[in-house]
């Protein structure tokens, strides 16, 4: 049997804090393979590979539920990534619209309709001289 890593060794090897590994283990995302006689969690090579996948998916901004779906093979990485790209695009679109409207209004000479539109956008201050 290959050498098993303690949670501290796994944390040093992966760059993932032991506290996070513990949480992922407790929630079933990263199951421990064994416990030492003194109760320390131990992980095998498969757990190391799984941790690398979980870390990568989390760094891409995917939630633990999406990660679980991939690990349980209910969804593919492609499916989750496609949905995530749509969410990122939606997230990017909103500030771009705000910036475009604010840029238009900052040029001055705006109508009441433009002012009303601008006031409906969060983070865009009203133009000077308007209520």
């Amino acid at each position: 049997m290959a050498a098993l890593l303690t949670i501290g060794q796994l944390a040093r090897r992966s760059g993932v804090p032991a506290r996070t590994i513990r949480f992922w283990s407790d929630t079933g995302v990263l199951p421990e393979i064994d416990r030492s006689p003194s109760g320390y969690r131990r992980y095998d090579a498969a757990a190391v590979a799984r941790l690398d996948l979980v870390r990568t998916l989390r760094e891409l901004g995917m939630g633990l539920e999406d990660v679980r779906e991939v690990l349980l093979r209910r969804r593919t990485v492609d499916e989750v990534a496609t949905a995530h790209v749509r969410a990122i695009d939606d997230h990017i679109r909103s500030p771009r619209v705000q910036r475009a409207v604010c840029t238009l209004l900052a040029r001055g000479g705006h109508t009441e309709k433009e002012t009303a539109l601008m006031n409906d956008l969060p983070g865009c201050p009203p133009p000077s001289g308007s209520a």
Side-chain angles (χ1 to χ4, degrees):
M1 179 179 207
L4 298 177
L5 300 175
T6 65
I7 198 166
Q9 292 167 325
L10 185 58
R12 283 188 296 281
R13 182 233 169 259
S14 66
V16 176
R19 176 185 224 169
T20 301
I21 295 171
R22 222 176 267 110
F23 175 75
W24 289 348
S25 289
D26 292 344
T27 59
V29 172
L30 183 70
E32 61 199 49
I33 191 72
D34 190 26
R35 291 245 180 183
S36 71
S38 54
Y40 290 104
R41 301 167 199 246
R42 298 193 298 190
Y43 300 88
D44 64 2
V48 172
R50 187 170 176 140
L51 175 63
D52 288 342
L53 174 61
V54 172
R55 184 193 66 231
T56 299
L57 294 174
R58 293 291 290 145
E59 285 174 350
L60 291 172
M62 295 183 191
L64 278 180
E65 194 52 43
D66 287 331
V67 171
R68 273 192 200 89
E69 292 290 310
V70 169
L71 294 173
L72 294 171
R73 300 181 190 273
R74 292 181 185 152
R75 294 175 71 193
T76 66
V77 172
D78 296 351
E79 292 169 338
V80 171
T82 298
H84 197 62
V85 166
R86 280 193 300 267
I88 290 170
D89 287 344
D90 290 344
H91 184 73
I92 291 170
R93 190 173 300 112
S94 178
R96 283 188 175 170
V97 168
Q98 289 176 1
R99 185 181 189 287
V101 171
C102 288
T103 299
L104 174 70
L105 294 173
R107 291 181 183 147
H110 37 271
T111 65
E112 285 184 37
K113 183 177 180 179
E114 290 171 330
T115 301
L117 176 62
M118 185 273 315
N119 284 331
D120 290 339
L121 294 173
C124 191
S128 59
S130 69

